[in-house]
Amino acid sequence: MTKDVRKLKTERDIQRAMLQLLTTKNFRQMTVADICQASLTSRSTFYAHYLDKYDLLDQLVAKYQLIFTQKVHLRFEQMIAGEIDALVKGLLADMADNREAIRILFTVHEPAADLEAGFHDQLLAEWQRFIQEKSPTMTAPAELIAAMGTNVQMTVIEWALTHGDTSIDVVADAVNTIRGAVLRQIN
Amino acid sequence: MTKDVRKLKTERDIQRAMLQLLTTKNFRQMTVADICQASLTSRSTFYAHYLDKYDLLDQLVAKYQLIFTQKVHLRFEQMIAGEIDALVKGLLADMADNREAIRILFTVHEPAADLEAGFHDQLLAEWQRFIQEKSPTMTAPAELIAAMGTNVQMTVIEWALTHGDTSIDVVADAVNTIRGAVLRQIN
DNA sequence: AAGAAACTGTTGGTTTTCGAACAGTTAACG
DNA sequence: CGTTAACTGTTCGAAAACCAACAGTTTCTT
């Protein structure tokens, strides 16, 4: 039923290798042979696990998209109601182990596999749902406010991914002000 | 002729796992099952590579001892003649990839596998050879001065292993003074 | 445009790893 | 003391990974 340990290990090695390679060269110019060389796996084994490098990227993106999906839904309420410190620190804590991987994948923008876009869409859906519940009829266009809130959050997330969780305090005040302005459009 | 990649990978995984476990528990209370669990290898595979955990430790120690042996002989002359900055920075550069592993192994003191003792003996032999060449007849006992020089170097090496190469400048003056005093006994 | 070089995706035979089981030893515990 | 429990070291069939070779495609060079 459960997967063979060897499969888990090779998939781990291959995924790590791809992430590591993405820091050097971009996805397009990366070959399957490169990935195999970096992960110490044979090409035949690679193709036993993935259709091609696009499939590998898909699965990587899907993996972190899933983690994000699970976390975001739980934290969304407090993300917009609470202080910005709690928001970012909570998210970073959830993703501590994966921060570097997510940061790398955010640089890849393939039509069928775009983690940054995926995060964005996910947040946007949450905002639309939130606005619909809180105030179905509001003066400002709901779509605009949802997009605004989403983009503010994405900005903070990306900032935190690259700068780490220690330097949040520097920007907390500024972001809190903006967040408050967005929320006032809804209430 | 050359080893199968799978063998290299499992040995790498097992060795990494043991080093990682050594940061948690000490060597005596560590079991083969622990190592296998941490490295995601089966016990039967472990025993296909090593006789037991002592054999594994032996090979780990021997590996880093060999690296040290190769580097020390090349750098010994400049280690005692040059400035202490050059000494430590040179050594650390040589061992940059292995610093963490060596630091961990320095905490293990098994009768048959003691990296710290091995480094010490290696340096002592270099000092004895050096004194014999430079001044075969000297007033102070050669053994004492060799031991002194060795211990000074070991102190610096261990300090650098734990504190990193950035903070060498802090102690450079102090160590240079001591090193000068030791060398004056020979010349 | 033609040939070379590199990359893709697949196959089959060989080697390695896995997992479960086993008896024998050591450590823990009431 | 005796009885569990845990650890050691070994065996063997099944599963997975390896490598080399292959034809077909794309990319580079001249």
Side-chain angles (χ1 to χ4, degrees):
Chain A
M1 194 58 239
T2 57
K3 259 192 192 173
D4 193 301
V5 198
R6 287 167 288 185
K7 290 191 175 181
L8 294 176
K9 272 195 286 188
T10 56
E11 287 171 9
R12 176 201 63 185
D13 291 345
I14 289 176
Q15 294 184 3
R16 280 187 188 163
M18 161 160 259
L19 288 173
Q20 184 233 313
L21 280 177
L22 278 173
T23 66
T24 302
K25 51 178 70 177
N26 66 41
F27 179 73
R28 293 296 175 106
Q29 62 195 164
M30 172 186 313
T31 72
V32 173
D34 290 335
I35 301 168
C36 291
Q37 187 176 15
S39 61
L40 297 181
T41 53
S42 68
R43 281 193 318 120
S44 56
T45 302
F46 178 94
Y47 286 110
H49 289 264
Y50 305 100
L51 295 174
D52 46 37
K53 67 172 183 174
Y54 298 93
D55 183 37
L56 168 57
L57 182 65
D58 282 350
Q59 294 197 27
L60 259 181
V61 169
K63 172 181 168 182
Y64 294 107
Q65 180 71 54
L66 177 64
I67 295 176
F68 187 70
T69 301
Q70 291 169 338
K71 301 299 181 185
V72 154
H73 198 78
L74 288 175
R75 289 197 182 269
F76 189 79
E77 296 296 334
Q78 75 190 80
M79 281 173 79
I80 55 172
E83 292 300 303
I84 201 69
D85 299 58
L87 143 66
V88 179
K89 283 180 178 166
L91 251 186
L92 285 183
D94 288 342
M95 311 201 160
D97 302 335
N98 312 310
R99 194 165 81 205
E100 185 61 12
I102 293 173
R103 193 186 62 73
I104 293 172
L105 287 179
F106 262 38
T107 67
V108 181
H109 303 287
E110 293 296 318
D114 190 324
L115 190 63
E116 188 182 35
F119 277 28
H120 184 278
D121 296 348
Q122 180 88 31
L123 283 176
L124 186 62
E126 292 282 347
W127 273 97
Q128 285 167 339
R129 182 188 55 75
F130 174 78
I131 292 175
Q132 185 63 29
E133 284 178 5
K134 284 285 178 179
S135 60
T137 61
M138 42 186 278
T139 53
E143 284 184 30
L144 174 71
I145 305 305
M148 207 71 89
T150 299
N151 287 330
V152 169
Q153 285 182 324
M154 284 300 290
T155 307
V156 178
I157 288 174
E158 292 182 26
W159 193 88
L161 278 178
T162 55
H163 292 78
D165 47 358
T166 57
S167 45
I168 290 172
D169 307 328
V170 182
V171 296
D173 284 345
V175 182
N176 270 329
T177 305
I178 299 171
R179 180 183 54 82
V182 174
L183 286 180
R184 266 192 299 278
Q185 302 304 312
I186 300 176
N187 299 330
Chain B
M1 191 62 237
T2 58
K3 261 190 190 172
D4 193 300
V5 198
R6 286 169 287 184
K7 290 189 173 182
L8 295 176
K9 271 195 286 189
T10 57
E11 288 171 10
R12 176 200 64 185
D13 290 346
I14 289 176
Q15 294 184 2
R16 278 187 189 162
M18 161 161 259
L19 288 173
Q20 184 233 314
L21 281 178
L22 278 173
T23 65
T24 302
K25 51 177 70 177
N26 66 41
F27 178 72
R28 294 296 176 106
Q29 61 195 163
M30 171 187 312
T31 72
V32 173
D34 290 335
I35 301 167
C36 292
Q37 188 176 15
S39 62
L40 296 182
T41 52
S42 68
R43 281 192 321 118
S44 56
T45 302
F46 178 94
Y47 286 110
H49 288 264
Y50 304 100
L51 294 175
D52 46 36
K53 67 172 182 175
Y54 298 93
D55 184 37
L56 167 57
L57 181 66
D58 282 350
Q59 295 197 27
L60 259 181
V61 169
K63 172 181 168 183
Y64 293 107
Q65 180 71 54
L66 177 65
I67 295 175
F68 187 69
T69 300
Q70 291 169 338
K71 301 298 182 185
V72 155
H73 198 76
L74 287 175
R75 287 197 183 269
F76 189 77
E77 296 296 334
Q78 76 189 78
M79 280 173 81
I80 56 173
E83 291 300 302
I84 202 69
D85 300 58
L87 142 66
V88 178
K89 283 179 178 165
L91 251 185
L92 285 182
D94 287 343
M95 312 200 159
D97 302 334
N98 312 309
R99 194 164 82 204
E100 185 60 12
I102 293 174
R103 194 186 62 73
I104 294 172
L105 287 179
F106 262 38
T107 67
V108 181
H109 302 288
E110 293 296 318
D114 190 325
L115 190 64
E116 189 182 34
F119 276 29
H120 184 278
D121 296 348
Q122 181 89 30
L123 283 176
L124 187 61
E126 293 280 349
W127 273 96
Q128 285 166 340
R129 182 187 57 76
F130 174 77
I131 293 175
Q132 186 63 28
E133 284 177 5
K134 285 285 177 178
S135 60
T137 61
M138 41 185 279
T139 54
E143 283 184 30
L144 175 70
I145 305 305
M148 207 72 85
T150 300
N151 286 331
V152 169
Q153 284 183 323
M154 283 300 291
T155 307
V156 177
I157 288 174
E158 292 183 28
W159 192 88
L161 278 177
T162 55
H163 292 79
D165 47 359
T166 56
S167 46
I168 288 172
D169 308 327
V170 182
V171 295
D173 285 344
V175 181
N176 271 329
T177 306
I178 300 171
R179 181 183 54 83
V182 173
L183 287 179
R184 266 192 298 281
Q185 302 304 312
I186 300 176
N187 301 329

